[in-house]
Amino acid sequence: MTTLEDFLKGNTLEKQQKIILALATSTIEIYKSIRLSDTIKNTTQNSSGDSQSALDIISDSIFIEQLTKTNLIKTIASEEQDNLINLPQSDAQYFVAYDPYDGG
C-alpha cells in the first residue's frame, strides 16, 4: 500500500508536498481531538457569526501550528479568526484558507 507521503515523494512539487502533508497531519490530530474533546457549542462566535465549540478552536490551532511548521505559508485565513494571520516567514509564498472544523 502506498502512503500519502510515499505518493507525494514521487512528485516534483516539493513545497506543495510539505503543505499537503501538514494538512494531512492536521486532520489526524483533529480526529484524535474529536475522540477526546468536548464538542458542545460555546457562547463565543467566530467571524462568520457561527457558534464555536471547543473543537472549532482546537482544530484551528492545530492547522495554524502545522502550517507554520512548513515555513512556506505567508498568510492564513480561517473562519475562526477575525483577521488574516500573516506569518513572519520571509521566503514564504503561499496563502491558505480553510474552515477548520464545522461541527454545525
Side-chain angles (χ1 to χ4, degrees):
M1 175 190 285
T2 303
T3 66
L4 176 61
E5 186 172 8
D6 292 336
F7 173 77
L8 291 172
K9 283 181 181 177
N11 189 324
T12 59
L13 304 173
E14 184 178 330
K15 291 179 180 178
Q16 291 85 348
Q17 291 172 21
K18 285 179 74 172
I19 294 168
I20 291 168
L21 285 173
L23 294 170
T25 300
S26 296
T27 60
I28 292 166
E29 294 301 315
I30 292 167
Y31 169 76
K32 291 176 186 175
S33 294
I34 290 170
R35 298 188 71 205
L36 301 173
S37 296
D38 176 15
T39 59
I40 297 172
K41 297 287 183 187
N42 293 333
T43 57
T44 60
Q45 291 184 330
N46 63 23
S47 60
S48 299
D50 295 333
S51 294
Q52 287 180 306
S53 70
L55 196 49
D56 288 313
I57 296 165
I58 291 167
S59 298
D60 191 42
S61 178
I62 290 169
F63 273 112
I64 292 168
E65 177 185 355
Q66 292 299 322
L67 289 168
T68 300
K69 285 181 183 179
T70 68
N71 295 317
L72 296 169
I73 308 301
K74 183 77 170 169
T75 306
I76 295 173
S78 167
E79 184 185 35
E80 304 307 323
Q81 302 292 325
D82 292 332
N83 299 303
L84 295 175
I85 300 169
N86 293 303
L87 301 176
Q89 304 183 68
S90 61
D91 61 345
Q93 60 184 12
Y94 294 98
F95 175 97
V96 176
Y98 59 83
D99 180 356
Y101 177 77
D102 192 6

